[in-house]
């Protein structure tokens, strides 16, 4: 990112990524990007014939789009899944790019009233408490902000401590204006109660409530610091015909 020439054209389909890029490099020209991963990669100069991933070759959707960008920003997990990790020239750190709230989390869902004891027990084996608590805090942040799917909000929660140390959930969050010129951020933490069956026991409702309270508190801090004044938090992505 630092080595891109002044005025470089960088593609992304995410308002959050665009805003955080401009906060670091206000000289960039951020270009809205659509299409699958190989199509996006093919728009970067020098990657038009980068080779074949596990799914499909890198190829542009239009001939006039080939090599018209200096860089694109994509999720590393998606590149890995497609066998295209070698295309990543830099992995952006958390100081530069906070992820979207609950990005990458998977959930198992069942109809209310139809979840038998046996099914609940089976699903509980798949439950990952650190992920559940992090996602709970990040989603509570979004809910308290009243933020839409296109709001430039970044958040990252993670567990700290454990074993012989008290466990704490840490949440870092940021709201960035679309032009990258203004930013409001915070980092808060809360100590977590131990689950009745140990730290990894599923259904630790007290810890979940603590995570929800942490997310809501972080949102209040952001709002008090003017998050709603620098960007439309209720923004949603426009429909595409």
């Amino acid at each position: 990112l630092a080595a891109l020439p002044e005025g470089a054209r960088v593609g992304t389909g995410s308002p959050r990524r665009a805003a955080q890029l401009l906060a670091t490099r206000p000289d960039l020209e951020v270009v809205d990007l659509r299409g699958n991963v190989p199509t996006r990669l093919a728009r970067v100069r020098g990657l038009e014939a980068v080779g074949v991933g596990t799914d499909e070759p890198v190829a542009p959707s239009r001939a006039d789009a080939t090599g018209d960008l200096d860089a694109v920003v994509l999720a590393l997990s998606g590149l890995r899944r497609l066998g295209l990790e070698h295309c990543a020239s830099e992995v952006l750190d958390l100081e530069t790019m906070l992820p979207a709230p609950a990005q990458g989390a998977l959930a198992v869902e069942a109809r209310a009233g139809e979840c038998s004891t046996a099914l609940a027990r089976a699903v509980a084996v798949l439950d990952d408490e650190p992920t559940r608590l992090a996602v709970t805090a990040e989603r509570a942040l979004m809910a308290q902000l009243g933020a839409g799917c296109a709001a430039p909000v970044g958040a990252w929660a993670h567990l700290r401590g454990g074993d012989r140390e008290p466990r704490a959930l840490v949440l870092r969050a940021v709201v960035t204006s679309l032009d990258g010129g203004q930013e409001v951020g915070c980092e808060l933490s809360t100590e977590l109660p131990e689950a009745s069956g140990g730290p990894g026991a599923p259904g630790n409702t007290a810890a979940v409530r603590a995570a929800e309270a942490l997310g809501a508190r972080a949102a209040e801090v952001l709002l008090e610091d003017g998050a709603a004044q620098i960007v439309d938090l209720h923004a949603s992505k426009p429909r595409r015909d």
Side-chain angles (χ1 to χ4, degrees):
L1 179 60
L4 289 172
E6 186 173 353
R9 305 181 79 237
V10 180
T12 175
S14 162
R16 170 188 56 84
R17 287 176 177 164
Q20 292 187 65
L21 282 171
L22 290 170
T24 301
R25 288 283 307 269
D27 62 292
L28 296 177
E29 179 187 350
V30 179
V31 179
D32 188 45
L33 197 61
R34 294 287 181 262
N36 60 22
V37 169
T39 295
R40 296 182 185 208
L41 286 174
R43 293 187 62 178
V44 179
R45 295 185 182 96
L47 290 186
E48 299 94 329
V50 74
V52 180
T54 54
D55 276 3
E56 56 187 304
V58 171
S61 58
R62 316 189 316 268
D64 61 350
T66 303
D68 66 328
L69 300 176
D70 295 290
V72 294
V73 181
L74 299 168
L76 183 62
S77 59
L79 293 176
R80 285 175 174 161
R81 190 165 56 247
L82 295 172
L84 292 168
E85 185 179 356
H86 59 282
C87 295
S89 56
E90 179 182 3
V91 179
L92 299 176
D93 59 36
L94 292 169
E95 299 301 322
T96 303
M97 186 72 62
L98 276 184
Q103 182 170 320
L106 300 176
V108 178
E109 199 170 15
R111 291 179 183 271
E114 295 183 12
C115 189
S116 66
T117 302
L119 178 58
R121 195 178 302 118
V123 171
V125 175
L126 303 175
D127 189 67
D128 182 74
E129 190 197 26
T131 301
R132 173 184 290 278
L133 295 176
V135 167
T136 297
E138 292 169 10
R139 293 187 67 184
L141 168 84
M142 288 292 280
Q144 189 69 17
L145 287 174
C149 60
V153 179
W156 179 59
H158 64 285
L159 281 178
R160 185 174 62 196
D163 296 330
R164 298 180 181 179
E165 298 180 16
R167 295 190 313 155
L169 184 64
V170 182
L171 174 61
R172 185 192 301 181
V174 66
V175 176
T176 311
S177 64
L178 293 176
D179 64 1
Q182 299 179 78
E183 203 164 66
V184 175
C186 70
E187 182 171 318
L188 303 177
S189 64
T190 187
E191 191 167 320
L192 295 174
E194 295 295 341
S196 57
N204 185 353
T205 55
V208 170
R209 287 197 298 270
E212 289 175 341
L214 176 64
R217 184 156 52 95
E220 291 298 335
V221 170
L222 294 176
L223 290 171
E224 288 171 6
D225 289 345
Q229 280 70 58
I230 67 173
V231 74
D232 178 11
L233 290 171
H234 307 294
S236 58
K237 292 183 178 178
R239 296 183 62 180
R240 285 180 282 164
D241 296 330

